[in-house]
């Protein structure tokens, strides 16, 4: 459930009409709902009730400072994958002891900054990284708390670009070698082993792959404890999918996911961390755009929008589906005609949907892409010299710009000429 509904024929974000935001900030823009973000965080928090746990929001899904600050205030932790995300999380008021640092290529500088600023744990993904972290921490007179990310070789049954738990993926160490690697980690002076990490992919629409991966983690916990490691924390990653098409059957709910966790690892007495991103932010955001032209092609109708692939790349990158709805509610029973929804960028890939049944729309009309809160704004670029679009946060009847649209001057002046020109 989200808080983007029609009221008296007008699409609203909570209590604010989308058209009012469009008039104030111009199109295209992203808008997020505080109530929806809050609700989604709480669903996970409640799903793990009774177990010692921390929900670490994966901020790569939607990393705006205001969104991370909201998560910090709700009591969430955060999963970061770069120094930039770490610094943003700290700037948003996230305490270091609630920040976990993931990613296959953490640099020594990133390690140093996180150790200096405070960190809950590093999720280490390889032996070279483990050795580097031990050196960095030792040189600082510190001990870095770590989990090691294991690759359980489980098929997440999701899009190949976002599956991470198969042995051919770059992530983690093969679970079969875990005992050996943990033994080396325990011997390194700058590290303290606190647990195990696993993350098998994103947009999972079934629970079975989670169950399979977590069962392997439970078994490994026993083996590592027998080897003398104090395994007290399990980071079970993110990945629970969201319904992108309202007409389709919905993926499992957080509460059912929580049951899988309880059944597979609940008996181990470990502190549980999860790292949901998409499910918290995805359906908490819209991308709002305006129809520039309606072009009647030879055999199809094109709705040319002012949003493009540089603003929302998911359709071009993952062949992803986004529901697109008019901001003025169409009359009941109005005829839907197929249209191709495209942006102005000079690429055929700049197509959001092909032959999508759409109600009548004319030049100047506003449309909203649903489920655009995750992997939307964060993946935007200025391709075709299109300035990054603004982000807006709504809370009840109020809204605020949480990232302003840069002016053309700002964008142009970021480039500089070399001294010899
Ligand atoms: C991307 C990622 C997540 C979040 O995945 P979602 O599908 O957005 O929930 C969590 N943990 C790690 C390590 C990731 O790379």
């Amino acid at each position: 459930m989200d808080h983007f509904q029609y009221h008296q024929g007008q699409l609203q974000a909570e209590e604010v009409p989308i058209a009012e935001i469009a008039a104030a900030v111009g199109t295209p823009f992203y808008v997020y709902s505080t109530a929806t973000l809050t609700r989604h965080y709480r669903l996970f928090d409640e799903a793990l009730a009774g177990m010692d746990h921390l929900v670490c929001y994966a901020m790569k899904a939607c990393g705006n400072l205001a969104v991370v600050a909201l998560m910090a205030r709700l009591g969430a932790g955060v999963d970061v994958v770069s120094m930039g995300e770490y610094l943003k999380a700290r700037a948003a008021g996230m305490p270091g002891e609630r920040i976990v640092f993931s990613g296959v290529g953490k640099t020594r500088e990133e390690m140093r900054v996180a150790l200096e600023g405070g960190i809950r744990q590093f999720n280490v993904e390889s032996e070279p990284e483990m050795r580097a972290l031990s050196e960095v921490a030792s040189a600082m007179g510190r001990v870095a708390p770590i989990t090691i990310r294991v690759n359980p070789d489980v098929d997440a049954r999701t899009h190949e670009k976002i599956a991470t738990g198969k042995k051919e993926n770059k992530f983690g160490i093969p679970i079969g070698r875990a005992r050996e690697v943990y033994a080396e980690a325990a011997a390194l002076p700058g590290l303290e082993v606190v647990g195990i990490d696993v993350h098998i992919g994103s947009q999972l629409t079934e629970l079975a792959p989670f169950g399979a991966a977590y069962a392997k983690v439970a078994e490994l916990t026993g083996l590592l404890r027998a080897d003398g490691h104090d395994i007290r924390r399990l980071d079970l990653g993110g990945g629970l999918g969201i319904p992108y098409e309202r007409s389709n059957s919905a993926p499992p709910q957080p509460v059912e996911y929580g049951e899988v966790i309880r059944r597979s690892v609940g008996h181990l007495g470990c502190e549980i961390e999860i790292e949901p991103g998409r499910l918290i932010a995805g359906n908490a955001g819209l991308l709002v755009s305006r129809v520039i032209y309606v072009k009647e092609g030879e055999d199809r109708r094109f709705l040319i929008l002012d949003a493009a692939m540089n603003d929302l790349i998911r359709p071009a990158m993952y062949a992803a589906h986004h529901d697109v709805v008019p901001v003025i509610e169409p009359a009941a029973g109005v005829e839907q005609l197929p249209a191709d929804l495209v942006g102005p960028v000079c690429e055929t890939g700049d197509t959001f949907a092909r032959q999508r049944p759409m109600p009548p729309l004319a030049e100047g009309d506003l449309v909203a892409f649903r489920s655009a809160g995750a992997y939307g704004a964060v993946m935007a670029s200025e391709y075709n010299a299109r300035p990054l679009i603004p982000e807006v946060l709504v809370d009840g009847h109020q809204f605020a710009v949480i990232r302003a649209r840069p002016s053309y001057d700002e964008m142009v002046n970021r480039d500089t000429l070399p001294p010899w020109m």
Side-chain angles (χ1 to χ4, degrees):
M1 199 213 113
D2 61 51
H3 293 75
F4 302 109
Q5 310 289 336
Y6 290 108
H7 289 278
Q8 293 164 356
Q10 282 267 354
L11 186 65
Q12 295 193 355
E14 302 190 22
E15 291 154 47
V16 183
I18 295 293
E20 191 182 318
I21 306 173
V25 309
T27 56
F29 63 90
Y30 280 99
V31 56
Y32 311 122
S33 153
T34 300
T36 312
L37 289 163
T38 302
R39 178 183 136 81
H40 290 163
Y41 161 73
R42 293 210 171 118
L43 287 177
F44 280 112
D45 193 40
E46 286 157 15
L48 300 181
M51 291 183 277
D52 190 7
H53 70 273
L54 184 65
V55 177
C56 295
Y57 170 60
M59 70 179 275
K60 77 175 197 277
C62 180
N64 189 287
L65 200 68
V67 172
V68 180
L70 173 66
M71 289 298 143
R73 284 168 198 203
L74 290 171
V78 73
D79 174 49
V80 305
V81 293
S82 71
M83 184 162 132
E85 285 194 351
Y86 177 84
L87 294 173
K88 263 185 127 173
R90 296 290 287 139
M94 188 64 77
E97 66 267 18
R98 281 195 255 147
I99 302 178
V100 304
F101 204 141
S102 298
V104 291
K106 300 174 206 78
T107 64
R108 286 163 191 261
E109 188 193 10
E110 290 179 314
M111 294 167 178
R112 219 172 282 122
V113 165
L115 279 168
E116 195 60 56
I119 189 81
R120 180 179 186 82
Q121 95 222 3
F122 292 90
N123 294 333
V124 170
E125 298 222 14
S126 68
E127 290 146 292
E129 183 197 341
M130 182 172 98
R131 292 168 199 144
L133 180 58
S134 175
E135 278 171 30
V136 170
S138 300
M140 295 170 69
R142 302 279 179 88
V143 175
I146 67 155
T147 70
I148 296 176
R149 178 169 176 178
V150 293
N151 184 324
D153 194 24
V154 164
D155 185 354
R157 296 163 61 88
T158 183
H159 191 280
E160 57 165 341
K161 286 186 186 163
I162 48 176
T164 61
K166 288 286 285 171
K167 62 175 184 290
E168 60 269 28
N169 300 135
K170 69 181 175 182
F171 299 98
I173 57 145
I175 197 162
R177 290 196 42 241
R179 294 174 77 180
E180 194 185 315
V181 180
Y182 271 85
E184 184 184 345
L188 288 171
L191 305 183
E192 183 190 8
V193 171
V194 300
I196 306 172
D197 173 45
V198 71
H199 170 73
I200 57 172
S202 195
Q203 187 53 18
L204 272 72
T205 53
E206 301 165 42
L207 292 173
F210 288 118
Y214 299 166
K216 290 187 176 194
V217 167
E219 188 193 338
L220 180 62
T221 303
L223 293 172
L224 293 177
R225 282 178 171 169
D227 289 346
H229 302 286
D230 181 12
I231 302 298
R232 52 191 184 274
R233 192 179 284 172
L234 300 178
D235 183 333
L236 301 176
L240 190 59
I242 63 171
Y244 278 99
E245 290 186 64
R246 255 126 242 266
S247 45
N248 270 11
S249 66
Q253 294 290 313
V255 66
E256 301 168 79
Y257 172 67
E259 277 313 306
V260 170
I261 292 175
R262 212 177 297 274
R263 273 201 306 273
S264 51
V265 300
H267 58 288
L268 297 168
C270 286
E271 183 181 4
I272 303 300
E273 292 167 357
I274 54 171
E275 302 169 342
R278 188 188 308 270
L279 200 143
I280 289 181
N283 282 329
L286 302 179
L287 166 62
V288 179
S289 177
R290 203 179 280 284
V291 177
I292 308 177
Y293 296 117
V294 180
K295 173 170 160 177
E296 299 296 341
E298 191 121 291
D299 66 345
R300 59 186 60 205
R301 189 168 58 118
F302 294 100
L303 293 177
I304 303 174
L305 307 177
D306 65 359
M309 64 188 289
N310 68 298
D311 305 309
L312 178 66
I313 205 171
R314 299 190 64 262
M317 183 134 125
Y318 311 115
H321 174 103
H322 285 270
D323 282 349
V324 181
V325 299
V327 166
I328 305 284
E329 190 172 20
V334 80
E335 193 187 6
Q336 309 245 339
L337 290 173
D340 281 18
L341 276 55
V342 302
V345 160
C346 304
E347 299 241 7
T348 301
D350 185 22
T351 297
F352 293 118
R354 293 196 166 79
Q355 296 300 287
R356 173 79 60 88
M358 293 294 292
L361 282 162
E363 262 180 58
D365 285 352
L366 293 169
V367 294
F369 288 72
R370 287 190 164 277
S371 314
Y375 306 105
V378 284
M379 293 179 109
S381 76
E382 289 184 340
Y383 186 40
N384 278 211
R386 295 166 46 87
L388 289 183
I389 66 176
E391 294 173 274
V392 173
L393 185 66
V394 168
D395 186 0
H397 63 272
Q398 35 180 3
F399 73 92
V401 173
I402 55 173
R403 179 186 207 134
R405 192 190 306 277
S407 69
Y408 280 95
D409 275 351
E410 282 167 324
M411 186 181 69
V412 171
N413 292 332
R414 266 204 316 269
D415 294 3
T416 51
L417 294 178
W420 61 85
M421 278 176 72

